[in-house]
Amino acid sequence: MTDLRVRIAPSPTGTVHLGLCRTALFNWAYAKKRGGTFVLRIEDTDKTRSTGESEAAILKGLAWLGIDWDEGPGETGGPYGPYRQSERVDRHTAAAQGLLERGIAYRCFCSTERLTELREAQEKAKQNPRYDGHCRDLDPKDTAARAAAGEEYVLRFRVPEGSTEFEDLVRGKVKFEHAEIDDWVMVRRGGAPTYNFVVVCDDVAMKISHVFRGEEHLVNTPKQILLYKALGDDAPRFGHLPLMLGKDRKKLSKRSGDTALGDYVANGYPREAIVNFLCLQGWALDGETDVFSLDTFVENFDIADVQKAGAVFDIDKFRWLSGDTIRRMSVSGLADELVPFVEKAGLMTADEIHGRRGWFERLVAGEQERIELFSEFPARVSPFFEADDSVTYDPKAEKNSRKQEARLETLAAYAEWLAGRPEDEGAEALGAASKAWITDRGMKIPALFQPLRCALTGQPGGRDLFDCISLLGRAATLARIGAGIERLA
Ligand code: GLU
């Protein structure tokens, strides 16, 4: 292990966001390639919004993506634990106390009303809202006495004059004038610490060497660097990953509802496709190759190659990647993935699938080229699960069939011919023989195929017709043709 230590610090508030998954992947790959350590720290400082359920979902989601962590909460543990911020409160309190004693932090007693009035006045004067330093120079002895007497206060960080500059590993040189930075709140009334404060305390304690996170945190970085300095520690290297943008070029947000990992899993995007797609959100292998494995990503990923510009979340490309992944799967592997979708649609139970595995795999094989998402499969094969006398006819399929004037006679003659053929005849042989049967009778292909397809599956198109016959079996095929002769009359 090297001294390279990266981390992600997700807040367990709600669903597992794709942005978090991308940040995790980039950090994880960076550490993995370089023999570093990848730390998972749960940032549950927001007590009202954090839930154990959400934390469990994050752990499960990351593991599902194939991301493992070297140190983390619970059983994983590690030398710098605990890895849940809520369990590190004593450390945070001690750090705040130290900063207060050194005058780096100060107590501010300004009431919410005063701060609201201040902000409103600043907004009216077209100034950027900021704290005016009202309590900055109060005598520490007096403030200690007021605090001891029970007066409520927040702790603010005393931002010095000057500017902060750093070399962002993605964005290059970044500079912030301190005049633009407030004396920000480190600890709220009642003692709850803020993100900017605890994140630094914990990154210092956990010896984090590189911080790669979303660009939305860039504004926090100068505040954090000042705090590292105050704590006497070297700041880590920072790399801010580009925002993930919707097609409207606005930041993808939880609110827009299309960012939860679970939704993509439920919609049947394969794991490999999700991982592959996330790798492409701000990074490219060579500008040409879109499809690559996680191993290839790890082998090639460097933070310096991450783009600055926002990464547009192209859902069409995502779907295409998904379909491409499906086409590259083994039939058996794809069949395994489809089991829960088929069960959920109520077509077959897992036990039934197990009992008819060979048949199920043939069902799957016929759709492998046609689906882009696992979730598309049940609707495509549902005709095979309908009652033989009431297959749903698509209006288009029915219309095409009715165009064939001799449809009823043709279906009847074909059924009679089919009944005399061996049941175990393969789809290919039956197809060839059926075509010869059509030619011998001086007919055109659609004269049989249109009404036959309608009778068997009710669909205007789809998988090979003789594959359908073979999947249905002789009895069901003949029953469906019989029903078709009545229904298409
Ligand atoms: N809890 C923060 C987030 O989820 C962590 C940001 C950071 O990595 O510093 O956005």
Side-chain angles (χ1 to χ4, degrees):
M1 287 273 163
T2 64
D3 290 343
L4 190 144
R5 293 177 56 84
V6 297
R7 59 28 166 207
I8 53 164
S11 306
T13 55
T15 56
V16 184
H17 191 284
L18 285 184
L20 164 67
C21 299
R22 193 261 320 246
T23 301
L25 261 176
F26 284 21
N27 276 283
W28 172 82
Y30 191 80
K32 208 167 179 63
K33 165 86 183 287
R34 292 160 181 80
T37 303
F38 175 58
V39 178
L40 170 59
R41 183 176 69 230
I42 297 295
E43 203 157 79
D44 55 349
T45 32
D46 186 342
K47 287 215 188 73
T48 49
R49 293 176 60 227
S50 298
T51 65
E53 203 186 7
S54 172
E55 180 187 311
I58 291 172
L59 268 55
K60 192 168 154 224
L62 293 175
W64 186 83
L65 289 167
I67 299 174
D68 53 353
W69 45 98
D70 303 303
E71 297 171 22
E75 277 174 25
T76 312
Y80 301 98
Y83 293 87
R84 233 177 247 117
Q85 268 181 342
S86 59
E87 293 164 14
R88 306 179 64 83
V89 174
D90 293 349
R91 293 170 172 81
H92 303 147
T93 312
Q97 187 58 34
L99 292 167
L100 179 63
E101 280 162 15
R102 291 166 54 209
I104 289 163
Y106 64 89
R107 293 190 184 91
C108 164
F109 298 91
C110 291
S111 65
T112 319
E113 294 76 48
R114 176 175 189 276
L115 295 175
T116 310
E117 274 167 29
L118 176 67
R119 197 189 55 238
E120 283 168 1
Q122 288 168 334
E123 277 168 2
K124 224 172 172 180
K126 303 250 182 298
Q127 292 164 350
N128 284 340
R130 64 197 313 271
Y131 182 60
D132 60 356
H134 187 73
C135 297
R136 203 172 208 247
D137 299 316
L138 297 180
D139 184 335
K141 277 199 207 97
D142 293 343
T143 67
R146 284 169 76 176
E151 200 174 335
E152 289 204 314
Y153 62 91
V154 302
L155 275 191
R156 288 186 185 272
F157 184 88
R158 191 187 301 275
V159 177
E161 282 179 6
S163 62
T164 289
E165 196 173 292
F166 64 97
E167 189 72 23
D168 187 287
L169 294 173
V170 174
R171 314 182 61 80
K173 210 175 276 308
V174 183
K175 188 174 176 183
F176 286 91
E177 295 298 334
H178 292 178
E180 289 163 21
I181 308 171
D182 261 52
D183 280 356
W184 50 278
V185 174
M186 284 175 23
V187 181
R188 297 190 187 88
R189 261 185 208 89
T194 60
Y195 156 72
N196 276 314
F197 173 53
V198 280
V199 80
V200 173
C201 289
D202 292 343
D203 281 345
V204 167
M206 295 184 180
K207 298 199 165 28
I208 298 303
S209 63
H210 293 71
V211 170
F212 304 143
R213 59 185 174 197
E215 193 187 310
E216 64 273 22
H217 285 292
L218 188 60
V219 291
N220 293 320
T221 304
K223 296 179 188 172
Q224 295 177 12
I225 290 178
L226 286 170
L227 184 51
Y228 280 105
K229 284 195 185 145
L231 293 171
D233 227 80
D234 284 339
R237 305 297 312 270
F238 289 94
H240 289 90
L241 311 176
L243 296 180
M244 286 165 63
L245 306 173
K247 274 204 160 153
D248 55 2
R249 300 222 144 239
K250 290 208 183 96
K251 180 170 181 260
L252 278 188
S253 72
K254 278 189 194 173
R255 254 156 260 116
S256 56
D258 42 15
T259 56
L261 172 65
D263 290 346
Y264 291 89
V265 178
N267 273 326
Y269 286 77
R271 188 183 77 89
E272 292 77 2
I274 296 179
V275 170
N276 193 156
F277 184 69
L278 289 173
C279 293
L280 291 169
Q281 300 307 296
W283 183 83
L285 182 58
D286 53 15
E288 276 169 31
T289 318
D290 278 338
V291 180
F292 47 80
S293 68
L294 192 51
D295 286 345
T296 305
F297 176 64
V298 171
E299 216 22 66
N300 290 277
F301 178 74
D302 191 350
I303 192 72
D305 298 331
V306 173
Q307 73 189 38
K308 271 195 243 179
V312 178
F313 190 92
D314 182 347
I315 192 74
D316 297 329
K317 185 164 180 178
F318 199 1
R319 279 188 76 105
W320 176 85
L321 264 176
S322 174
D324 185 71
T325 307
I326 287 177
R327 289 192 291 281
R328 284 182 290 106
M329 294 173 98
S330 68
V331 173
S332 161
L334 176 56
D336 289 342
E337 297 286 359
L338 292 173
V339 172
F341 291 88
V342 169
E343 272 204 297
K344 190 167 169 239
L347 300 181
M348 288 172 100
T349 65
D351 282 345
E352 283 165 346
I353 293 173
H354 185 72
R356 299 179 71 193
R357 181 74 190 190
W359 181 84
F360 185 67
E361 287 195 8
R362 274 163 54 211
L363 191 67
V364 169
E367 299 301 334
Q368 184 161 19
E369 295 290 321
R370 301 167 199 274
I371 57 172
E372 283 188 319
L373 305 173
F374 298 147
S375 56
E376 290 168 356
F377 181 75
R380 295 194 61 93
V381 299
S382 64
F384 291 97
F385 299 89
E386 291 183 303
D388 295 330
D389 58 359
S390 55
V391 172
T392 312
Y393 288 178
D394 177 283
K396 189 167 162 215
E398 187 165 347
K399 195 168 152 225
N400 290 345
S401 306
R402 288 187 183 279
K403 276 190 207 145
Q404 310 303 329
E405 283 186 5
R407 60 190 179 278
L408 306 179
E409 297 76 19
T410 307
L411 282 177
Y414 183 73
E416 201 186 322
W417 174 80
L418 186 63
R421 297 194 66 85
E423 163 107 60
D424 57 2
E425 188 175 25
E428 218 171 296
L430 179 62
S434 299
K435 280 173 197 155
W437 182 85
I438 297 171
T439 328
D440 287 350
R441 312 186 119 233
M443 300 187 326
K444 297 228 166 67
I445 298 277
L448 171 67
F449 276 28
Q450 300 271 13
L452 183 57
R453 189 178 280 285
C454 180
L456 296 183
T457 68
Q459 295 300 304
R463 65 166 72 217
D464 176 72
L465 199 45
F466 303 98
D467 191 28
C468 294
I469 292 180
S470 147
L471 281 166
L472 285 167
R474 198 52 51 89
T477 301
L478 293 175
R480 285 179 184 216
I481 295 177
I485 292 171
E486 279 175 28
R487 294 173 64 192
L488 294 170

